[in-house]
Amino acid sequence: MRFKTNNIIATGLVGLTLIATSLYAADENKVTVATVNGTAITQDTLNNVMGMVGGMPGAQVDKKSILDDLIITELARQEANKAGLTDRPEIQEKIKEATDRIVLNTWTQEKATSFKPTDDELKKAYEDRTSGEKIEYKARHILMKTKAEADGIIKELDNKVDFADLAKKSSDGPSASQGGDLGWFKPSTMVKPFADAVAKMEPGTYTKEPVQTDFGWHVIKLEERRDVKPPELETLKPQLEREYQQKKMLAYMDELKAKADIKVTLPAEAAKPAADATAPAPADAKTEEKK
């Protein structure tokens, strides 16, 4: 992708260069690479725009083309100022909104990063994060519609029929084509009766009694179990720090709200008429009651 400067509307860089004009500065310590009617374009500005363009897919960074874009954009900026656009009320409002947004975002970021967890707080957060399940299982299963069918599967296994072959031939589960292979999983990803049964098994064994769930009757073979090693503290530290800062920031804003003089003048919604106590309950409510 090459940018052409003979038509500012057509140039693909115009959005970036309009942003870059805010970076123009009369800093004597900065090298000036071009001057447009007395306004300097600095090497820093050129470098910044080149860096942004370089990050765009398929972009070819050409210094002269980008500088031409900066020059054209500066000319357009000067003409826009001559036209008195900044005096228009709608433009003033947009400038105010943009300024407020920049100030708010900067304050929020700086305030949040001012909350720094202690080593003990980080350690506690890490322990809470990694104190969950520390074992994973690798298993296969054969799913049948009835207990009698599942009992028949167990008898075939007792007669040394291969579990995977039996799963492919008989299982009603979606993993049948893979020989009932469920891969590695944590107990929390399985329904409780299934997870409880697996937790009691030894690798290489299969259930001697079918396990019932809402899906049907399972015959399970546990192949392996392994300990799950949590990430190191240093790996999780950036995430834990961000979460800490978010919590502190929310608490800080709650404190500000509690201390502030706030008057809500939004009209309250008209009170809804009370439901007729003699009217029959909706069908879904009855269903919930039965549950």
Side-chain angles (χ1 to χ4, degrees):
M1 177 170 62
R2 286 291 300 276
F3 298 108
K4 303 296 184 181
T5 60
N6 57 352
N7 188 338
I8 190 171
I9 302 302
T11 180
L13 190 58
V14 66
L16 293 177
T17 52
L18 286 172
I19 295 172
T21 57
S22 64
L23 300 175
Y24 296 167
D27 187 344
E28 295 180 356
N29 295 324
K30 295 184 178 181
V31 177
T32 298
V33 294
T35 304
V36 182
N37 294 327
T39 299
I41 300 175
T42 67
Q43 182 69 56
D44 282 352
T45 297
L46 180 60
N47 291 342
N48 286 335
V49 177
M50 288 179 62
M52 287 188 285
V53 174
M56 298 170 64
Q60 296 180 9
V61 181
D62 181 84
K63 184 181 295 186
K64 290 184 178 180
S65 293
I66 293 174
L67 182 56
D68 283 343
D69 276 303
L70 287 171
I71 292 170
I72 293 296
T73 300
E74 174 57 28
L75 286 170
R77 187 185 70 83
Q78 292 177 13
E79 289 300 304
N81 286 336
K82 290 177 185 178
L85 295 181
T86 55
D87 296 329
R88 293 181 183 178
E90 66 272 21
I91 300 297
Q92 288 291 328
E93 183 62 27
K94 289 180 180 180
I95 292 173
K96 180 182 181 302
E97 290 175 358
T99 301
D100 287 345
R101 185 166 57 251
I102 293 170
V103 171
L104 176 60
N105 289 343
T106 303
W107 176 82
T108 301
Q109 183 177 3
E110 291 182 355
K111 187 63 181 178
T113 54
S114 72
F115 297 116
K116 299 187 181 300
T118 64
D119 290 343
D120 288 342
E121 286 173 325
L122 267 181
K123 184 178 179 182
K124 175 67 165 54
Y126 174 76
E127 290 173 350
D128 291 343
R129 173 66 61 84
T130 58
S131 63
E133 297 169 316
K134 296 184 178 180
I135 298 179
E136 287 183 333
Y137 300 96
K138 188 175 187 297
R140 296 178 184 268
H141 81 136
I142 299 173
L143 178 64
M144 307 303 292
K145 290 184 175 67
T146 67
K147 183 177 185 300
E149 290 174 327
D151 285 333
I153 292 295
I154 292 173
K155 288 182 180 179
E156 291 193 64
L157 292 172
D158 290 340
N159 290 327
K160 309 303 181 182
V161 177
D162 182 75
F163 194 100
D165 290 342
L166 199 53
K168 291 178 181 179
K169 181 178 70 174
S170 305
S171 180
D172 292 325
S175 62
S177 60
Q178 289 82 43
D181 188 10
L182 298 172
W184 287 98
F185 59 88
K186 293 181 179 179
S188 60
T189 63
M190 297 295 179
V191 292
K192 191 174 187 306
F194 193 103
D196 289 346
V198 169
K200 298 175 183 177
M201 297 175 65
E202 292 296 326
T205 65
Y206 56 86
T207 50
K208 297 300 183 179
E209 290 292 333
V211 177
Q212 185 180 17
T213 72
D214 291 339
F215 301 100
W217 294 84
H218 305 258
V219 179
I220 307 168
K221 180 181 180 182
L222 178 62
E223 295 188 330
E224 297 179 64
R225 69 153 56 97
R226 67 185 179 190
D227 294 333
V228 178
K229 185 179 179 181
E232 298 293 335
L233 173 58
E234 286 303 313
T235 301
L236 290 180
K237 185 175 179 180
Q239 182 180 350
L240 295 174
E241 287 179 336
R242 284 194 301 271
E243 292 174 357
Y244 175 89
Q245 290 166 353
Q246 290 169 358
K247 290 179 182 178
K248 288 293 185 180
M249 195 66 186
L250 289 173
Y252 180 75
M253 295 309 300
D254 285 340
E255 290 178 10
L256 289 181
K257 186 177 179 181
K259 296 175 182 177
D261 180 14
I262 300 173
K263 296 181 177 64
V264 178
T265 56
L266 180 69
E269 290 185 359
K272 296 179 181 178
D276 186 353
T278 62
D284 57 344
K286 292 180 179 178
T287 302
E288 291 298 325
E289 289 175 359
K290 290 180 181 179
K291 290 180 181 178

